[in-house]
Amino acid sequence: MLSTGALRAHLLASRLAGTVATSREASLRSYRLFAARDPRVLLGLDPEWAWGEADVMALMAAKCGVSGDPGCVSGADVIDPERTLAGLEAFAGRLGEAAAQGVPVLFGTGHPHRLLGFYADLADALSAAGCLVLTPAQGRCVDITTRFGVRTYNLDYVRGVALVREPGARVPVSDTGAHSHSPLPVRVALAAAEEGGGPLPGLVVGDHGWVCGAGQLGFEAIGLADTDDPALFVGEAEGRVSVAVPLDDAVRSDYYRPLTRYVLNRACLSR
């Protein structure tokens, strides 16, 4: 069993928390765009409250531990590991409750190259506990606006975790899909589940648009978010995201394995 102290040390050593790779410039740009209601950073959320740039920065300082000083405009960003640990505790609590209640669960990620293994192990554990891991709309096309224009992606599932694949991409074992912030894939998946008369998720687990898009539609959603993803923390503050865990979401995939063990143990889902 991984202790809290050992996990804290791992968070700092792997730069999942502490000084992270996300730059202050990138985070501030996201805060400005969020305040301007730019859909690229809203991630499917339609905020109810007025969020100016200073409001977003203050929230991120409270939720993540980044600097709340508007004069701090460069360098590496910082995440307080204690806030990450608290977020993981709450995250594990919701997984444990979902397992105890046997609710259907939908997993999805916009960071498949980094986070697929993390979510897949959680999906395996919930499935073993009796939860139905949903895979609606597999193979469905999703039109997503990118900086290159509108491109058509394919919705797919790997070990129960939804992701999107590049147009025309082949599917070798090593191919894990495309990076995406869009809420459209989760909307397509949820609409397909409803249209098919099948079960709807009692919990959505993921990141980016998977969490905000589901939360905006009234589904309980929990997920991971970096310092340049204010939408998940705004959603948490407004009550549409149940848990947003602050951490760097783009480190090496194997660095998330200790988090998996910790979360499953805390959720009483270790096997």
Side-chain angles (χ1 to χ4, degrees):
M1 182 176 69
L2 190 68
S3 70
T4 300
L7 181 59
R8 181 187 295 106
H10 172 72
L11 292 173
L12 294 172
S14 61
R15 297 184 66 183
L16 280 158
T19 301
V20 296
T22 308
S23 69
R24 178 67 168 176
E25 293 92 333
S27 295
L28 291 177
R29 178 177 181 273
S30 291
Y31 305 163
R32 288 193 297 271
L33 292 174
F34 190 93
R37 300 297 180 100
D38 189 308
R40 291 174 295 176
V41 295
L42 292 178
L43 308 182
L45 191 72
D46 183 13
E48 294 180 357
W49 306 345
W51 290 93
E53 184 178 348
D55 302 315
V56 177
M57 184 185 301
L59 176 72
M60 296 301 286
K63 293 287 189 179
C64 301
V66 302
S67 174
D69 179 6
C72 178
V73 296
S74 63
D77 232 333
V78 175
I79 296 176
D80 179 3
E82 297 302 324
R83 289 171 170 85
T84 304
L85 290 168
L88 289 171
E89 192 76 31
F91 184 95
R94 286 304 304 125
L95 287 179
E97 291 170 13
Q101 297 164 7
V103 302
V105 184
L106 176 64
F107 287 87
T109 181
H111 264 300
H113 294 83
R114 307 299 185 185
L115 292 168
L116 178 60
F118 173 77
Y119 296 124
D121 287 342
L122 300 183
D124 287 344
L126 284 176
S127 178
C131 292
L132 179 62
V133 176
L134 302 176
T135 57
Q138 183 159 16
R140 191 76 60 89
C141 293
V142 185
D143 293 329
I144 298 176
T145 300
T146 73
R147 58 181 176 171
F148 306 108
V150 176
R151 301 184 71 179
T152 300
Y153 291 79
N154 296 318
L155 182 60
D156 198 5
Y157 290 83
V158 176
R159 293 180 57 198
V161 182
L163 49 83
V164 294
R165 296 194 186 278
E166 295 278 2
R170 297 183 179 181
V171 191
V173 174
S174 61
D175 181 17
T176 54
H179 178 238
S180 172
H181 285 213
S182 176
L184 295 179
V186 76
R187 293 175 186 166
V188 168
L190 293 171
E194 185 172 20
E195 291 164 7
L200 294 173
L203 182 67
V204 177
V205 184
D207 47 62
H208 290 169
W210 286 92
V211 174
C212 291
Q216 182 64 37
L217 293 174
F219 293 87
E220 183 170 11
I222 63 175
L224 314 178
D226 210 330
T227 59
D228 59 351
D229 291 327
L232 278 82
F233 298 100
V234 170
E236 186 180 40
E238 293 191 348
R240 272 166 291 166
V241 172
S242 291
V243 180
V245 182
L247 51 71
D248 191 318
D249 59 9
V251 302
R252 281 174 34 179
S253 58
D254 58 311
Y255 287 170
Y256 297 98
R257 290 175 189 158
L259 278 65
T260 304
R261 296 198 301 272
Y262 184 84
V263 165
L264 291 179
N265 179 263
R266 292 293 184 172
C268 298
L269 291 171
S270 298
R271 289 177 286 175

